Amino acid sequence: MSKMIQTEDKIPLLGSTSSIKEPPKGWGYRHLLAFLAFLGFFNVYCMRVNLSVAMVDMVKPQHKDDQNSTDNECPDHSLNSTNSNDGEFEWSTDLQDYILGSFFYGYILTQIPGGWMAEKFGAKWLFGLGVLCTAVLTLVTPIAARFHVGVFIAVRVLEGLGEGVTFPAMHAMWGKWGPLYERSKLTGFSYAGAQLGTVFALPISGWLCDQKSFAGGWPSVFYVFGGIACLWFIVWTLLAYNTPADHPKISKEEREYIESTVGVKEDISTPWGAIVTCPAVWAVCIAHLSNNWGFYTMLTTLPSYMKNVLKFDIKTNGLLSALPYLGCWIGQNTSGIIADYLRSNGYLSTVTTRRMFTFFGLAVPGVLMILIQFAGCNQTAAVAMLVLCLTAGGFTMGGFQVNHIDLSPNFAGVLMGMSNTWATIPGFLGPAVVGWLTHKHDTRAQWQIVFYIAAAVYLSGAVLYCLLARGSVQDWNEPVRGVTFKHGSKKSHVSEHQRFPVAIE
């Protein structure tokens, strides 16, 4: 089966495009890696979002005397509910927002170092230990919360430090394992574990909080998810490998198929200056920040919006809070498959594909954020819009979210670390803005301001990405005077003019 390779789809491999191997039939070890990574991110996000639900049950209800009841407020249908929440901690709304955002203060610090370490020393142990670190800290969370709120915040910061290496490490891994025309769907499936983890964790966290006979209710949320992640770490260490060349059981056909488009590089110094000054890299950073502003705003504060504004009880809160992330999971997997299909069959170039999916994934949520005001207190309509918003956002997986690997397979981990550093800012700034806008007047009108801000960020990111994005491997991906690839035990030198094969229209 012949494939048309677009002019800008340069491939860092030996020889010409004719050396690209056909994909081996059936299940391969690249698919096993995707499944293991999927489960890893599933656990990562279970441990990240469980606090958003558990917090509702941990804290005594806040009485806001200066919050006016107006015709704009939604009726409370849970007034007769027998499921009351006395809470255990007397934490102010501002303190709760700070606790929710504290994770990201640690998370932002290890993005770029994580990407660099993954490229330098291998991603397997970095990714695995990042998840394990988060799991152990999750297990001690109830003890920390009851000891002192400052210790609790410190634990959340440390969780962020551990989890901060996960995305850069996995991006670096896909830079070695992701064939050119499979990288969107394999990477998309891996990262979609984060969305399914959110879908799972939100309702299960609500249910566990209600089981007072099991570890006291809310503490069980941290024990269950932390324990499952520890079990995942054991499986990961036994089955995952840094590169196809390291895998003892991979078939010759699958290894050659992967290496024909990504190669196997020696140690190469990171071209920091070229990366920082590359407009295409900044396009990814801008899109990543824009996407995460809306995503993290919803991730960390959606349970509170459901409870305080739309008046859902804790059980319904967890279930309906999860629906938007189920939509995002569907969008991510769908977009990855479609994007690779369009590129591999020559219907669209890589840059056109990335721009199209990114624009759709940012512009549609931006418009929906503006329109959500027309849902009023109609709970069904409001939830439907939020579901559509994050479903459309999932389509960015076929866009900027794998663009790092297009630009530089050799430094994909570093690029992810750089873009995710910027994209982590909304993790603590978004909840702070929500808290500032709603801590005195937790009303639908104030929340609409939150949605307007998110809309402006979404739409700005969509436009700027389309202007600056590129889809080809950048010149700084490899040394200017040549690069040494190692295939098995043999080494071959590639001169400057051989770095990329002749492109075929």
Side-chain angles (χ1 to χ4, degrees):
M1 179 179 63
S2 62
K3 301 183 186 302
M4 181 183 298
I5 300 178
Q6 300 293 331
T7 302
E8 66 175 62
D9 290 343
K10 300 175 182 177
I11 306 166
L13 55 98
L14 304 176
S16 67
T17 56
S18 61
S19 64
I20 302 177
K21 307 294 183 180
E22 289 293 326
K25 297 184 183 300
W27 177 270
Y29 283 99
R30 66 193 186 282
H31 301 118
L32 176 61
L33 176 63
F35 182 67
L36 292 173
F38 170 89
L39 294 178
F41 284 110
F42 179 93
N43 281 287
V44 160
Y45 266 67
C46 282
M47 294 184 290
R48 183 186 298 195
V49 307
N50 54 15
L51 181 61
S52 297
V53 174
M55 183 80 78
V56 178
D57 206 54
M58 293 168 67
V59 180
K60 296 181 185 295
Q62 300 293 305
H63 301 287
K64 301 174 184 179
D65 298 331
D66 54 348
Q67 177 174 310
N68 297 323
S69 180
T70 70
D71 292 338
N72 291 328
E73 295 306 296
C74 301
D76 191 346
H77 299 293
S78 62
L79 292 176
N80 298 323
S81 173
T82 58
N83 182 28
S84 61
N85 169 38
D86 294 330
E88 186 172 338
F89 304 102
E90 293 185 356
W91 294 337
S92 67
T93 302
D94 288 341
L95 181 56
Q96 291 178 55
D97 291 332
Y98 184 75
I99 291 171
L100 288 172
S102 61
F103 170 92
F104 297 98
Y105 288 103
Y107 190 70
I108 197 172
L109 296 177
T110 50
Q111 294 295 323
I112 294 177
W116 180 81
M117 287 189 293
E119 302 288 1
K120 195 77 173 175
F121 306 111
K124 171 187 172 177
W125 286 104
L126 188 65
F127 181 75
L129 291 173
V131 178
L132 180 63
C133 173
T134 308
V136 172
L137 291 167
T138 297
L139 288 171
V140 303
T141 293
I143 299 173
R146 286 168 171 162
F147 184 79
H148 191 274
V149 67
V151 177
F152 180 35
I153 291 172
V155 167
R156 291 294 292 178
V157 172
L158 290 173
E159 283 188 43
L161 286 171
E163 200 171 308
V165 304
T166 54
F167 277 97
M170 187 48 57
H171 237 52
M173 210 157 190
W174 282 123
K176 313 296 188 299
W177 277 90
L180 179 66
Y181 293 123
E182 291 187 20
R183 63 180 51 147
S184 299
K185 60 186 176 185
L186 289 174
T187 307
F189 178 79
S190 301
Y191 294 163
Q195 315 313 325
L196 204 61
T198 304
V199 170
F200 180 83
L202 288 174
I204 295 301
S205 295
W207 180 80
L208 288 171
C209 284
D210 197 47
Q211 307 305 305
K212 305 301 181 185
S213 61
F214 179 41
W218 66 263
S220 66
V221 173
F222 303 99
Y223 299 145
V224 167
F225 292 126
I228 293 173
C230 288
L231 294 176
W232 169 89
F233 173 76
I234 296 173
V235 177
W236 171 261
T237 58
L238 295 174
L239 299 179
Y241 292 87
N242 282 315
T243 68
D246 293 334
H247 205 296
K249 296 182 179 180
I250 192 171
S251 68
K252 179 181 178 182
E253 292 76 18
E254 183 180 12
R255 177 179 169 182
E256 289 181 349
Y257 166 61
I258 295 171
E259 292 179 351
S260 69
T261 60
V262 300
V264 182
K265 69 180 180 63
E266 297 281 2
D267 186 27
I268 303 174
S269 298
T270 304
W272 292 108
I275 289 174
V276 171
T277 56
C278 179
V281 172
W282 283 104
V284 175
C285 293
I286 291 169
H288 206 159
L289 183 149
S290 301
N291 181 71
N292 277 23
W293 183 278
F295 182 80
Y296 280 151
T297 297
M298 293 297 98
L299 183 70
T300 57
T301 61
L302 187 57
S304 296
Y305 176 71
M306 294 287 190
K307 178 176 183 288
N308 299 330
V309 178
L310 298 185
K311 311 300 183 185
F312 294 141
D313 61 38
I314 182 66
K315 286 185 178 179
T316 308
N317 184 347
L319 178 61
L320 293 180
S321 294
L323 288 179
Y325 302 101
L326 178 60
C328 189
W329 175 75
I330 294 171
Q332 283 192 345
N333 283 288
T334 302
S335 66
I337 294 170
I338 296 174
D340 280 344
Y341 175 81
L342 294 173
R343 295 167 60 238
S344 64
N345 288 280
Y347 296 124
L348 291 176
S349 66
T350 295
V351 69
T352 302
T353 302
R354 302 306 184 213
R355 285 171 176 167
M356 182 179 72
F357 278 91
T358 300
F359 186 83
F360 179 85
L362 296 180
V364 172
V367 172
L368 287 171
M369 285 288 186
I370 296 172
L371 296 178
I372 199 171
Q373 62 178 313
F374 298 107
C377 290
N378 186 323
Q379 297 174 347
T380 302
V383 171
M385 285 193 177
L386 291 173
V387 170
L388 290 174
C389 179
L390 288 193
T391 300
F395 276 75
T396 59
M397 183 55 68
F400 79 85
Q401 296 206 46
V402 290
N403 197 197
H404 315 75
I405 308 176
D406 300 326
L407 299 175
S408 178
N410 287 338
F411 303 107
V414 171
L415 298 190
M416 170 57 86
M418 181 176 172
S419 74
N420 214 19
T421 296
W422 285 97
T424 300
I425 294 173
F428 50 83
L429 187 58
V433 171
V434 172
W436 179 70
L437 289 170
T438 65
H439 87 282
K440 287 188 176 181
H441 299 278
D442 200 356
T443 64
R444 191 166 57 83
Q446 291 299 104
W447 272 92
Q448 191 54 50
I449 299 175
V450 172
F451 295 143
Y452 281 145
I453 294 172
V457 176
Y458 267 133
L459 294 172
S460 299
V463 173
L464 289 172
Y465 179 83
C466 288
L467 292 174
L468 298 174
R470 297 293 182 268
S472 60
V473 176
Q474 300 299 289
D475 292 340
W476 43 262
N477 178 65
E478 295 166 4
V480 174
R481 295 184 179 179
V483 59
T484 302
F485 285 91
K486 181 172 65 176
H487 292 268
S489 60
K490 297 180 179 180
K491 295 183 180 181
S492 56
H493 187 77
V494 185
S495 63
E496 182 179 359
H497 70 276
Q498 290 178 312
R499 285 184 302 147
F500 302 114
V502 177
I504 302 174
E505 284 289 352

